Amino acid sequence: MRDHFIKRLTELAAKNPKILLITGDLGFGVFEEFARRFPKQYLNAGVAEQNMSGLAAGLALEGRTVFTYSIGNFPTLRCLEQIRNDICYHQADVKIVSIGGGFSYGALGFSHHATEDLSILRALPEMTVVAPGDDWEAEEATEALARQEGPGYLRLDKSSAGHTARTGETFEIGRGRVLLEGDDFTLVSTGGILGVVLEAAKKLVHEGIKCRVISLHTLKPLDTEILLKSARETGGIMTVEENTVTGGLGGAVAEACLEGGVPPALFYRIGLRNSFATIVGSQSHLRRCYAMDEQTIVKKAIQFLGFKRKISKKGAAL
């Protein structure tokens, strides 16, 4: 996703001199071409994320469209006060880019695990929150955020679902994508774990289960229409996120369904539950350890559908 982000940003910067990329001393081996081609649109702020965010807000208020960049929690949680007070409060045109969503940097330990960022950034007023699920979404989200004024957060993952776009498809912030049709229940995911969800959905077909799969790449604003439609048509929703379930994707979907008056008959959230990841390892290893891998999704889905069918029969008997 990182390479697709910088590819599209380079194209945009060539057309728009207001675009400015500020890195927190990262992106080596990735940003060299951008820095060479656009020396007046590139800045290394050093390992000083609070300063980077305040600087970005000031430059945005002077008319620039600023992208800040670092890994894991550094461009978000470390400088949360500057994001809240300097960027969001002033509606500054700053896009915060975090490479390494979820367990992407799992081998570096929990300080590098970005597993609360979606919940926390989503809570900030004026902030748009986007977590692409594949390379196409990453590129398109970069451009969409650049064109949209105001604060934005782009969470990039090391993993990706590859390329899921259909011919002629257009990307829109706040508009989810149905990638697989089905009516047994709905799987909703955000971020790079989409690839795992799609593989799990294919395995479920062999179990006689056809589930709808939605890539909800934008957590805020949320596409409530696609969620309410799925709750009505499939009766059950399971969310999958590489993030704490508290306040993240699962929380957002639950809020939308309940406030929309369409509570699904069954609802389940897959993600971290009130814990930090205390194990060190690869992203796929940590997904297995914390029950958000393909096998766990298949197992939970089979149990989930069993409950749903029992409820349906009970309802019919009544």
Side-chain angles (χ1 to χ4, degrees):
M1 287 190 188
R2 178 198 60 191
D3 294 344
H4 290 272
F5 155 73
I6 192 61
K7 173 177 174 285
R8 183 60 62 90
L9 190 68
T10 301
E11 294 168 359
L12 294 170
K15 301 173 187 172
N16 183 1
K18 290 184 178 179
I19 287 179
L20 176 67
L21 173 61
I22 306 179
T23 176
D25 207 29
L26 286 163
F28 301 108
V30 181
F31 291 164
E32 279 77 3
E33 183 188 352
F34 188 99
R36 181 184 58 76
R37 289 182 61 186
F38 315 110
K40 294 184 178 179
Q41 292 174 256
Y42 177 78
L43 185 63
N44 185 344
V47 186
E49 290 79 7
Q50 295 95 332
N51 183 51
M52 175 173 74
S53 301
L55 180 64
L59 289 164
L61 293 176
E62 291 297 318
R64 306 298 293 266
T65 298
V66 186
F67 283 76
T68 62
Y69 179 96
S70 188
I71 69 168
N73 296 314
F74 303 147
T76 54
L77 304 193
R78 180 175 285 177
C79 47
L80 185 58
E81 183 177 348
Q82 284 72 30
I83 293 173
R84 178 181 181 272
N85 294 0
D86 299 343
I87 296 173
C88 290
Y89 183 76
H90 294 94
Q91 300 177 35
D93 197 10
V94 177
K95 322 303 179 190
I96 300 149
V97 181
S98 172
I99 177 67
F103 297 136
S104 294
Y105 287 96
L108 299 183
F110 102 99
S111 62
H112 286 61
H113 299 166
T115 49
E116 300 84 31
D117 55 324
L118 294 178
S119 306
I120 293 170
L121 272 292
R122 176 178 165 255
L124 293 176
E126 308 295 342
M127 180 65 76
T128 296
V129 178
V130 184
D134 79 343
D135 300 338
W136 177 78
E137 289 184 1
E139 276 198 35
E140 295 298 313
T142 301
E143 180 163 352
L145 283 170
R147 294 183 186 282
Q148 175 180 291
E149 289 191 8
Y153 176 50
L154 181 62
R155 184 210 235 206
L156 301 176
D157 203 307
K158 268 191 176 178
S159 67
S160 161
H163 188 91
T164 63
R166 280 70 59 105
T167 303
E169 185 175 5
T170 57
F171 179 93
E172 187 179 344
I173 285 178
R175 186 67 64 188
R177 303 170 60 225
V178 176
L179 299 183
L180 287 178
E181 288 288 359
D183 53 14
D184 283 329
F185 73 97
T186 302
L187 276 167
V188 183
S189 79
T190 195
I193 203 167
L194 172 66
V196 174
V197 173
L198 286 170
E199 288 303 314
K202 289 175 187 173
K203 285 195 172 178
L204 286 168
V205 171
H206 297 298
E207 301 290 334
I209 299 171
K210 290 186 177 179
C211 54
R212 187 173 302 180
V213 175
I214 295 174
S215 173
L216 208 61
H217 50 69
T218 307
L219 271 187
K220 186 183 177 187
L222 196 69
D223 186 352
T224 55
E225 184 181 335
I226 198 172
L227 295 171
L228 298 183
K229 184 172 186 289
S230 294
R232 285 192 196 96
E233 293 178 351
T234 71
I237 292 181
M238 181 181 290
T239 60
V240 183
E241 58 192 308
E242 205 163 313
N243 190 72
T244 176
V245 296
T246 306
L249 170 69
V253 173
E255 291 163 13
C257 290
L258 289 173
E259 290 186 350
V262 190
L266 276 175
F267 183 81
Y268 189 78
R269 299 172 295 168
I270 289 180
L272 272 181
R273 289 185 175 266
N274 195 31
S275 66
F276 294 110
T278 56
I279 300 171
V280 172
S282 68
Q283 186 172 30
S284 57
H285 177 67
L286 291 182
R287 283 174 175 169
R288 282 194 299 275
C289 291
Y290 291 95
M292 53 185 82
D293 61 317
E294 188 181 313
Q295 288 73 24
T296 301
I297 295 170
V298 169
K299 183 180 174 184
K300 289 286 183 186
I302 292 171
Q303 293 173 350
F304 187 78
L305 193 59
F307 286 131
K308 180 172 175 272
R309 286 171 175 162
K310 280 183 185 176
I311 289 174
S312 298
K313 285 180 183 176
K314 197 173 178 180
L318 290 172

